Each structure stands twice: as C-alpha cells, then as structure tokens.
Amino acid sequence: MSFQKLDDLGRKLEALEHALSILGADEATHMAVGGGEKRAEAMANLAGMYHAQATAPQIADWIDAARNEDLNEDQQRALAEFERSYVNATCLPTEFVERRTAATMRSEQLWRELRAKGDWDSFLPALEGVIGLVREEAALRSAATGLAPYDALMDQYDPGNRTAEIDAVFADLKTFLKDFVPTALSVQEDRLAQRPRKSLNAPFPIEKQRELGLAAMRAVGFDFTHGSLAVSHHPFCGGVPTDVRMTTRYRTDQFLPSLMGVLHETGHALYEQGLPKEWSHWPLGKARGMGMHESQSLFVEMQLARSPEFWEFMLPLVHQHLGDDAIPGWDIADVLNEVNFVERGYIRVDADEVTYPLHVILRYELEQELVSGKLEASQIPEAWDARMTEYLGISTINDPKDGPMQDVHWPGGAFGYFPSYTLGAMIAAQLAAAMQKDLPDMRAQMREGDFAAINQWRADKVWSQASRYSTPELITRATGEPLNADHFKAHLKSRYGR
C-alpha cells in the first residue's frame, strides 16, 4: 500500500527531525565552544539526508497511488497535507537553493557586521541580491502552487492565509491603532500621575529567578516529564514534542523580562506537548503554522500573564521565590504598570502589544511592494520612514540601524513571515473571547492559579487538531467565526483604553 509507504517514510523523517532538533537545541545551550565546526558538519549531513529522503521522486507516485486507496477522513487529510509539504519541498531547483543559501548567508554576515554602524549603503548591494532571489522564489512557488507570488511565500509559514483576507483585516486594525495609540498613552499618563512606577530592589539572583520561572511553567501546565528549561543568548522553544527544550536569559537588575519570556515560550511548549502523538510522524501531526504557534505563546503571555487575575495568583509566588523585600510596597497595580507599559519606539522586538502590530503592518506592506517590484531595495529607507512617521509619529530617515536594518528576516530572505506575529496576537484575543463564553468562570480560575480547564479548551480546539485544517479553517472551527479584528481591538480597549 502506498499510504503505508508514506507512513514508513514519515517515521524515518521524524527520526532525522528529532536528531536535528535536539542537536540544534544543544548547540545553543550546552555545546562546548570548540564543538561548533563538527556540529555544523554533522547537522549539515543530517539535513542533506533529510532533504534527499523527503524529496525523492517516487514520493509523487506514492501520493498518486494512495489517493485511490480506501482511506478514512484523517488519512485523507494526512495525505493532502503530505502532498502540500512535498510540493513546497520540491518546487525549488537544487541550483536555486544553493544560490539562495550562499546569498542569504553572506547577506546575514554583512548585516551583523554593518547593522551596528547603520551602514545602509554598504549593505544595500547584498540586500538587492537577496530581494532578487526572493522574487525568483516567489515566482517558482507561485507556479508550483497556483497561488499569487506573495501568497505563495506566506503559505510556507501559515497555510491558507491569503493577502485578500489579511489586507482587509490589517487595514481595519491599522485605522483603529493610529487613533488608539495616542489614547492609550494619554490614559497611561493620567494613571502614572496618580500612581508612579515603583523601583525594584535589585539584584535578583539568577537561581531564584530560575525557580520562579519553573514555578510559573508548572502552574500554567508545562509537563516536565516531556521538557526542560535552560539558558541561551536568545530565548526559544525547540526540541521535539516528547522532549521540548525551552530557554530563557536572565538579568540580575530585572526579573520581569525573564519571567514574561518564560511564560511566552511556555505557550509555544504547551502547543508542542499537546499535539496528537499518533500523527507525530506525518505533517498532519505538526503545529499549524507560525501564526497559530504565535497565538499560543501570546495567549499565555498577553491574554493570561498580563492580566490582573493572573497576578493575584502570581504575586505571592514572586514573594515566595524572590523574597518579600524584592519588590517592596508593590501590589498588582504596580506590576501591571510595568508589564503593560506603552510607548512609541523604533524597535519591533521591544514594542508593547498596542504599538507592535503597526511595526508588523509596515513590514507586511513593504514586503508586498518589494516582491511585486513596485518598490526597489534602494527606496526602502524613505518608504520605511514615511510609514513610521504616519503610523507612530517617529522618524527613522537618518537611522537605518533602528529602521530597516533592525531585523534579520530580510537579510535572511524570510519574506512572508512577519504577518504571523500580529495574526498570532489577533488569534489569541479571538480564542480568549470564545473561551470566555464556554468558560464563564475562566477569570476566577486564573485567580486561583487553576489553568486545567483553560488548557483543556485549547487542547480540544487547537492543539489536538494539529494541521488537519488550514489556518483560517482552524480559527473558524475553534472560535465559530473567521479572523475578526474586533476581538483584538476590544482586548486593547479593555486593557489600555478609558
């Protein structure tokens, strides 16, 4: 049976994925400094083995033959998702992949060297080369999938998402935020005039912060029999569903950045740990794209961990692990002043949840123009500045370092990825609104530190569904309606408005 052949292949590919994921997580956390060269060689060989097996010509014949076999509904969906993955893996010629890899590696290296100096002119030729290759890739993917070029790029990250729908949702959100940001800042100014931000009693020993993070992970449902927490330069959630490798980083003068980072990555981890084990070796059993993954991390970080109910439960844990004198005189309102602080800023990764979507929408709009050829790389600084000025009232025209050179995505050729970040925030708010209807006492449960029903709802609606459906279908099935910006807007108004 051809379906059985695909099943057997899936188990071999899963084994290689497992090895690559664990080796990658170990490289970032425990590998000795002198191990890099051999580790890179080992991972390159494993990746080559994976690619060769995942793109073998006979797979197309197996897929065709399996269509005529007696398959149940899940098997039919599994076959369709396998085919989608196969088309995405095989639509780029090897010669093109080699050219793209060489160009993006060189571009990323140049970016690391030149970003600190803000040297746009020296970086521009490399970026022009990458954008040329991105246009070429978009055309190749479009020809293979029948999608519009930018949609074909986005589909790698969020299957089913289309600019026709996202353009309208983002336009609605952008109009709202351009008016709402000044309101949120005014409300914050009034609140801080009555209750100024309080100082912390640093230092906060790393071991105590680690214990606090572990307690928070345990409380929100992380399974320590299938995962762990380590330290890395950049926090991430990696590994495999049966052995999730989560990381954070610490500052001894602050404890909230690490704690909120831990909670964000725990959201990713819960999704991975909740995926259906019986389909783990098929694309069907994987998480449904970056937007849905980001929705799960932002559900924990934004919907839960920046709420007053969460801090009724969490504040005693802070005192327990860091000591009563760590945040002297603080109550829940003081914590919320910190974790929900809003400000106009240049840097996307440092932005709060009110201004963050405007950073993403700016990039989404410019990416579409760059891929279509409407905008050239040399015109990016002016186009970026015009939108920053319009959307956030700040100019980057003389500051490429904190303007168009701030992200690694474009030097690395990752076009179509940015929308996932804000789509994740919107999906998280929509899931929370739907959950509130099904679990009317959800907030009371949070106050008690009881997340069992909240997690079971997400397990039923999202985690266990894995990649059975496209991103838009999954949103509709989980919440009863397509993606709707009104839920995110209502969330922001409730937390930051008058």
Side-chain angles (χ1 to χ4, degrees):
M1 283 176 65
S2 293
F3 188 87
Q4 186 59 51
K5 289 178 181 175
L6 292 171
D7 192 83
D8 293 342
L9 173 64
R11 293 187 188 280
K12 293 174 183 173
L13 293 176
E14 184 187 26
L16 289 169
E17 281 178 356
H18 188 121
L20 281 163
S21 294
I22 297 300
L23 284 171
D26 178 82
E27 179 185 22
T29 55
H30 292 92
M31 186 187 76
V33 290
E37 188 178 340
K38 279 295 181 183
R39 179 64 55 91
E41 185 181 316
M43 292 181 71
N45 273 293
L46 287 170
M49 290 164 61
Y50 181 93
H51 184 74
Q53 292 188 38
T55 60
Q58 64 266 31
I59 294 173
D61 298 331
W62 296 348
I63 291 170
D64 283 339
R67 284 198 194 94
N68 300 315
E69 294 174 358
D70 184 20
L71 305 179
N72 64 33
E73 185 182 352
D74 262 3
Q75 289 173 328
Q76 289 172 28
R77 290 186 183 279
L79 182 63
E81 188 61 21
F82 200 107
E83 182 176 20
R84 193 192 70 80
S85 298
Y86 182 70
V87 169
N88 265 313
T90 56
C91 67
L92 303 181
T94 302
E95 170 274 331
F96 172 81
V97 172
E98 288 171 352
R99 278 193 295 125
R100 185 191 61 179
T101 302
T104 54
M105 282 184 70
R106 178 63 185 138
S107 173
E108 280 193 47
Q109 289 164 359
L110 262 177
W111 172 78
R112 289 194 178 91
E113 176 189 334
L114 298 173
R115 191 217 156 186
K117 308 173 196 171
D119 188 350
W120 172 261
D121 291 340
S122 298
F123 176 59
L124 180 58
L127 184 61
E128 286 175 328
V130 169
I131 289 171
L133 288 163
V134 166
R135 290 170 179 166
E136 196 175 337
E137 178 179 348
L140 288 164
R141 291 191 181 281
S142 175
T145 60
L147 299 173
Y150 189 76
D151 284 348
L153 294 175
M154 262 200 318
D155 202 66
Q156 302 171 82
Y157 306 109
D158 277 309
N161 279 350
R162 303 290 179 261
T163 52
E165 288 80 33
I166 294 172
D167 282 353
V169 171
F170 276 7
D172 177 22
L173 182 60
K174 179 172 71 175
T175 301
F176 165 76
L177 287 173
K178 281 159 65 177
D179 289 334
F180 185 70
V181 169
T183 301
L185 289 167
S186 173
V187 169
Q188 177 175 269
E189 186 179 356
D190 292 345
R191 187 179 67 250
L192 293 178
Q194 299 293 319
R195 191 185 194 97
R197 297 170 77 182
K198 289 183 178 173
S199 60
L200 296 165
N201 193 10
F204 303 102
I206 287 172
E207 190 49 47
K208 289 186 176 182
Q209 289 193 60
R210 174 177 161 77
E211 290 302 321
L212 174 63
L214 293 172
M217 290 167 66
R218 193 172 292 111
V220 297
F222 186 88
D223 179 0
F224 283 95
T225 65
H226 290 292
S228 58
L229 176 68
V231 175
S232 67
H233 290 299
H234 298 284
F236 66 85
C237 177
V240 293
T242 54
D243 184 8
V244 175
R245 302 296 177 92
M246 238 180 75
T247 73
T248 189
R249 58 186 172 194
Y250 300 103
R251 290 171 48 178
T252 55
D253 63 327
Q254 294 271 358
F255 74 91
L256 284 168
S258 174
L259 179 60
M260 300 311 283
V262 162
L263 287 161
H264 178 94
E265 300 303 337
T266 300
H268 285 303
L270 292 173
Y271 190 9
E272 289 292 319
Q273 291 181 339
L275 292 168
K277 293 174 176 52
E278 67 273 20
W279 287 104
S280 66
H281 58 297
W282 282 78
L284 180 83
K286 305 289 191 284
R288 172 76 299 166
M290 299 309 303
M292 194 55 68
H293 228 308
E294 200 64 17
S295 81
Q296 297 309 291
S297 60
L298 292 175
F299 184 91
V300 174
E301 182 196 352
M302 299 299 184
Q303 298 297 320
L304 301 183
R306 295 179 191 266
S307 71
E309 295 86 0
F310 181 87
W311 281 95
E312 284 188 39
F313 146 74
M314 194 69 211
L315 197 54
L317 281 181
V318 173
H319 290 303
Q320 178 187 333
H321 289 282
L322 299 185
D324 289 333
D325 58 346
I327 45 175
W330 281 46
D331 63 19
I332 291 166
D334 298 307
V335 176
L336 297 178
N337 271 351
E338 296 304 313
V339 298
N340 294 330
F341 188 76
V342 180
E343 62 184 332
R344 292 186 177 97
Y346 297 100
I347 306 298
R348 174 186 62 85
V349 295
D350 294 337
D352 53 83
E353 65 174 332
V354 179
T355 59
Y356 191 100
L358 291 170
H359 290 269
V360 168
I361 291 169
L362 175 155
R363 289 156 173 79
Y364 171 74
E365 292 171 348
L366 293 184
E367 281 193 346
Q368 289 185 73
E369 293 184 6
L370 287 164
V371 171
S372 71
K374 183 180 176 183
L375 186 73
E376 294 301 332
S378 60
Q379 300 168 305
I380 290 173
E382 289 74 20
W384 185 289
D385 178 67
R387 283 178 167 84
M388 280 297 282
T389 303
E390 180 190 347
Y391 300 171
L392 284 165
I394 52 181
S395 173
T396 59
I397 194 63
N398 296 314
D399 186 15
K401 175 173 74 74
D402 290 340
M405 290 182 77
Q406 66 181 268
D407 301 298
V408 73
H409 300 63
W410 289 356
F415 279 62
Y417 191 120
F418 276 123
S420 302
Y421 293 117
T422 284
L423 292 170
M426 296 171 74
I427 296 165
Q430 190 161 323
L431 289 170
M435 184 186 293
Q436 187 81 54
K437 292 177 184 173
D438 292 344
L439 302 174
D441 62 342
M442 164 184 165
R443 303 266 163 206
Q445 292 174 26
M446 287 164 59
R447 287 189 186 97
E448 299 299 318
D450 180 2
F451 299 95
I454 290 170
N455 285 345
Q456 189 59 53
W457 191 96
R458 293 197 295 150
D460 293 342
K461 303 281 189 180
V462 178
W463 306 342
S464 64
Q465 300 309 312
S467 286
R468 282 188 176 87
Y469 310 102
S470 70
T471 302
E473 284 180 289
L474 185 54
I475 294 167
T476 301
R477 294 178 74 93
T479 67
E481 62 176 319
L483 184 65
N484 182 349
D486 287 347
H487 297 292
F488 185 57
K489 291 189 287 186
H491 161 69
L492 294 181
K493 283 192 261 191
S494 169
R495 181 170 287 175
Y496 301 97
R498 294 199 185 280

